[in-house]
Amino acid sequence: MQKYVYYFGDGHAEGNAGMKNVLGGKGAGLAEMTNIGVPVPPGFTISTDVCTYFYAHDKNYPPELKDAVAENLARVEQSVGKKFGDPDKPLLVSVRSGARASMPGMMDTILNLGLNDETIQGLAKHDERFALDSYRRFIQMYSDVVLEVDKEHFEHELFALRDRAGVKTDAEIPAEALRELVATYKGIVREKSGKDFPQDVQQQLWGAIGAVFNSWNNQRAITYRKLNGIPDDWGTAVNVQSMVFGNMGNDCATGVAFTRNPSTGEKRFFGEYLANAQGEDVVAGIRTPLPISKAQAIENQKSLEETMPEVYAQLEDVYKKLEAHYRDMQDIEFTIEHLKLYLLQTRTGKRTGFAAVKIACDMVDEGLINHTEAVSRVEAGQIVQLLAPVFDIDEKQKALKGGRLLGRGLPAGPGAAAGRIAFNAERAVAMAKDDPVVLVRIETSPEDIAGMHSAAGILTTRGGLTSHAAVVARGMGRPCVVGAGSVRVDYGRAEMRSEGHEPLEEGDWVSIDGTTGEILSGKLPTKPSEIIQVLLEKTMKPEDSEVYRNFDRLLKWADEIRTLGVRTNADTPQDARVARLFGAHGIGLCRTEHMFFQEERILRVREMILARNEAGRRKALDEILPYQKADFEGIFRELDGMPVTIRLLDPPLHEFLPQTEGQMSTVAREMGWGFVELRAKVNQLHESNPMLGHRGCRLAVTYPEIYEMQVRAIFQAACAVKKDGIDARPEVMIPLVGTVKELTMLSEMVRRVAAETLKEQETELPIIVGTMIEIPRAALIADKLGEVAEFFSFGTNDLTQMTFGYSRDDAGSFLPEYVDKKILPKDPFESIDQEGVGQLVRLGTQRGRGANGSLKVGVCGEHGGDPDSIRFFRTCDLNYVSCSPYRVPVARLAAAQAELEFKHFEG
Ligand code: ADP
Ligand code: MG
Ligand code: MG
């Protein structure tokens, strides 16, 4: 007979951490904690198989489930010495959903189930107020979740009651008033659902279990699964667990904690608690919770370590045990009932990029994990957070002395942000189009996501380090300060006040330091991150920056794992230098047109374009050559010994010409042309669809002398630096090829000119010529192109543009809607469309290699720096990816992770 229910309690569980598929994340954690001797209230988990069965059988349960639940409930009763539905010693339980992956769209937990008009007597024997408080919470939660009576109706009554009683918190409402409230609540249920609140505890239990399974297919959950790629057939588990009470007086509490600081990674226990409170009160942000440790407390906050030292010591033992056992930072939930500690949840804690890197490195040093595990522990995209600017210390000191400190909150997301104040998400989105914005809220909720995303920083006046704002900001890598109680926000007046300061209004500048929690008025200047200071500016020594040292170690471990090369897209010696310092081992794309735009050169370029004949064009090109040569020399010097892929001129020529009549008359004067004549020439070069027009290798078919000059400049430069002992390795790349003939014709020309140049210079260098694959046709005929080219580089920006037929410059007007409506899973210009464009990459690579076994293949679009795309490129067996200099660290890490996954998948 199939096992559907798994018991945990009294130091032994039928499940364990490895059974997430069956027990869900929460259930597996409860089982594992029980097994390793952590105090957990006993209970049982109804497996995900029941959920699967439920949907396969028209929402019926397996016939043996009823008995299994009854048996396990009896075990729980036995264990705690109470009985479910017993008026004298009632057992109360929580009913908690729990899928394999955490799913915020699912059913809310129901606490205190098993209370009714009789069982409340049993509770009331000890403490009447507590019993009534639990009952009113239960009626509200159960009605909201199971009976679909909106919780607003109940909250409305609760708030009204608080006003009448003249108290601020629920904990101060007297028992008498609570009794009335319970009666009112029952009335609401009767009115809204047409039935009495269920008094039968079995009916309550099965109602709750059914609600969990039904919630697997509510709209929120379906949407969440789609967005996060969670399969619909996984199903959820249900946990039924005996209640422990954090709301039975001042020797009771509830809290959440991280085994290390989730914001900085510091190895210190870190968390928050509320005395005399139940479960969700901590996350709800109704009262700002207190710190658990003395070290964490500011001003005169009473930490748990001070108020309940014995329990705190127990909690310390437990967190150490859990961390050593899971070998990763844990996020835990606990409740204290009359000074006795219980753990209610443990899971891998979410963390910032800073924390992820530090924790991974520290755990290697502590011998908990190896290098490979460390590399897989840091989300590749998160590492850019470490490169973000910080406030200049001197400037901040000056501002502090100048009385600009508005207050302090909790440092919830590290980094510095200065921006204009917006008091709601909508305004933040609108204002962020012009200036950086700091979103200032009392607290945030899921409706604010878009505003949080567009903000440079987030500030809230309520809530703790596990509040919505803190969790979301950390996920997005936004600097964030929460719970800044000394700052008051008035939405009505759209202003923010703090004592001794002028109120700030929407649009005023404010600066927040998410690493320290400081809030300052005005716009504070930032300075580069420590990593930039060490690597690029050399204003800091590696030994003075732990952030840098960990960054460097982790990326070196990644380099040992990865097989995919990482190059950079760089057009200037400066960019090339930055990328090399970040660990790029070559240039995958050097665009030559940027060199044409600089001051003195543009005039010569225009002369070249406007020349009436070839002789005139060659004369102008001769004058451009020394500039190009000098640029290439600079780049070769920076990349001594590394490949430099240089793309010959790509954009349509009209891009170099003046566009407005005003500019035209200036240029006409400079060049000694008549205005009318110039305007006519500009109009003649105008194209309706320039991106599909006379550009790329098509230019060289018409004007071969342009590419000839560029090739000469490249090889003259290579020879020149070689005389200084520099090992220049140019690779010449022909853009926008769509036919074999284009490539054969132009690569012959490149080889001829390169050979001539080398001969003139009396130097020997390999001549390497390849092509970009950015027109779908080129990918399809890659077998033929592979016979001619020595390398391919997929220009995935143009390839995406042409495969979809979306203009990259105009797609912004409809792509967001495409993503919203799930026509596309993601913006294909950000992350490669594996299904379509990706197929061309895979096929082009296979066909090209079929013709030329030693063909080198890379990618040089934006996708070269996107972790998901990199994972895909590894499966296509590319040689390298090339990305912008600041994405190089991301690509190194992502390439290593891609390797680990690929190896794993290949077995
Ligand atoms: P979520 O997934 O939203 O965190 P949980 O099921 O973990 O939902 O529960 C919500 C809150 O209720 C948490 O604070 C949790 O610790 C608390 N809680 C759940 N079960 C119990 C229980 N048996 N006794 C006391 N508190 C509980
Ligand atoms: Mg929880
Ligand atoms: Mg292109």
Side-chain angles (χ1 to χ4, degrees), residues 26 41 93-97 108-111 241-246 254-256 278-280 283 333-335 344-345 347:
K26 208 175 276 168
V93 297
S94 64
V95 176
R96 318 169 67 185
S97 64
D108 294 322
T109 289
I110 297 174
L111 302 178
Q241 188 175 23
S242 54
M243 283 299 299
V244 286
F245 300 99
T254 183
V256 292
Q278 199 168 43
E280 310 218 286
V283 247
E333 292 175 3
F334 64 88
T335 283
L344 290 159
Q345 192 164 341
R347 62 185 153 195

Side-chain angles (χ1 to χ4, degrees), residues 33 121 259 562 815:
M33 287 196 290
Q121 308 303 335
T259 58
R562 68 186 166 93
L815 268 188

Side-chain angles (χ1 to χ4, degrees), residues 25 28 35 38 64-65 73 114 202 230 266 282 284 305 331 369 382 430 519 609 624 696 733 754 779:
N35 280 332
V38 167
E64 58 269 47
L65 186 69
L73 194 62
Q202 287 295 335
I230 299 175
E266 190 189 3
V282 179
E305 190 175 0
D331 167 355
I369 59 175
Q382 278 192 324
I519 305 151
I609 296 169
I624 300 170
M733 180 156 79

